[in-house]
Amino acid sequence: MSELVNAWLGDTPVPYHEGWELQRQVHKRRAADQIPDTVLLLEHEPVYTAGKRTGPWDRPVGDPGAPVVDIDRGGKITWHGPGQLTVYPIVKLRDPIDVVAYVRMLEEALIRVIAEYGLTGTRVEGRTGVWLAADPERGLIERKVAAIGCRVARGVGMHGFALNCDPDLGWYDRIVPCGITDAGVTSLTAELGRRVAVRDVLAATERHLADVLGAERPVHRDGYPELPEYRELADA
């Protein structure tokens, strides 16, 4: 991988369908080699997204206060919203394509990011994402700080991962997040006892993601409208 464009979509939360359509358009153009590898970084308006393996028992009961959107990634249901950094790497994977290895790369980037805050992220066998180990002395169970859900089509990845920085964790009480009933969900703010905003982790996320992906020339862009290849998408 040579050039990697990190497109930060700004502090205003993006409606999910708008972000999803942008993903699809960027994916289409990346698969056709019309643009370089591109990472969309954003916050979403509150939304529950249900992956292909979501069961009826995983979904919210009654009015969850946010739309539930069925999407084409793997995994089960999760939440996106303000206070959470959502990252969509739309990158061409090397042959032979190994989706599991790609997920491990994303996990590694996240583990390195939270290590900068003094937190030790772990992997849990049989589960994706980045976890913090249980701490019985503090009364804490195993808990997830970052979720991962990917799809690869035409050799190009889409969807990606979400790191909880300072979200309202009450949103997770209305679902069975990622179909997991025996563990919790946390955030950097909850773990550290001080506010960690999305912008605070942006530079570290871009840096570590570029490193694990092997990007030689990562660049940062504030928003996609400033990039000529995205103007038609912004106006669509």
Side-chain angles (χ1 to χ4, degrees):
M1 180 183 295
S2 54
E3 185 176 8
L4 180 70
V5 175
N6 294 289
W8 164 239
L9 302 192
D11 298 310
T12 302
V14 176
Y16 187 77
H17 283 289
E18 180 181 318
W20 194 7
E21 179 59 25
L22 177 59
Q23 269 198 87
R24 287 190 291 223
Q25 294 298 326
V26 175
H27 179 275
K28 179 180 178 180
R29 301 187 69 188
R30 180 65 193 98
D33 289 324
Q34 295 175 346
I35 59 173
D37 287 315
T38 301
V39 180
L40 304 178
L41 303 102
L42 65 148
E43 294 179 73
H44 272 305
E45 292 182 353
V47 64
Y48 294 101
T49 64
K52 295 177 180 179
R53 297 193 298 112
T54 302
W57 49 86
D58 298 318
R59 296 174 181 269
V61 177
D63 181 9
V68 179
V69 181
D70 291 282
I71 60 174
D72 58 354
R73 62 161 169 80
K76 296 191 175 184
I77 195 167
T78 193
W79 173 86
H80 297 300
Q84 179 191 76
L85 174 61
T86 300
V87 180
Y88 299 130
I90 304 174
V91 299
K92 184 161 287 190
L93 304 185
R94 297 171 180 169
D95 288 324
I97 292 174
D98 186 335
V99 177
V100 173
Y102 175 58
V103 169
R104 296 292 172 262
M105 291 166 68
L106 300 183
E107 289 173 345
E108 179 61 26
L110 285 160
I111 288 170
R112 295 182 189 182
V113 171
I114 69 172
E116 295 196 10
Y117 291 85
L119 297 174
T120 302
T122 64
R123 296 179 175 91
V124 175
E125 186 175 354
R127 295 174 174 176
T128 60
V130 173
W131 300 76
L132 300 180
D135 188 345
E137 292 187 2
R138 297 171 57 201
L140 297 174
I141 62 174
E142 194 173 62
R143 55 225 182 271
K144 178 183 279 192
V145 69
I148 296 176
C150 300
R151 177 176 180 238
V152 177
R154 299 174 62 189
V156 177
M158 61 187 308
H159 300 293
F161 62 84
L163 174 61
N164 287 338
C165 299
D166 186 35
D168 177 0
L169 295 175
W171 287 103
Y172 290 99
D173 295 337
R174 307 170 197 184
I175 59 171
V176 180
C178 301
I180 296 169
T181 59
D182 59 347
V185 179
T186 190
S187 67
L188 298 181
T189 292
E191 294 296 324
L192 298 172
R194 60 180 175 86
R195 183 170 185 260
V196 180
V198 166
R199 266 197 175 270
D200 295 335
V201 305
L202 195 60
T205 302
E206 291 184 8
R207 183 174 68 255
H208 290 300
L209 183 59
D211 187 47
V212 300
L213 292 176
E216 298 172 2
R217 298 193 303 275
V219 296
H220 174 88
R221 295 287 185 268
D222 286 324
Y224 60 83
E226 289 77 16
L227 298 176
E229 58 264 35
Y230 295 141
R231 283 178 186 151
E232 65 191 63
L233 305 179
D235 295 337

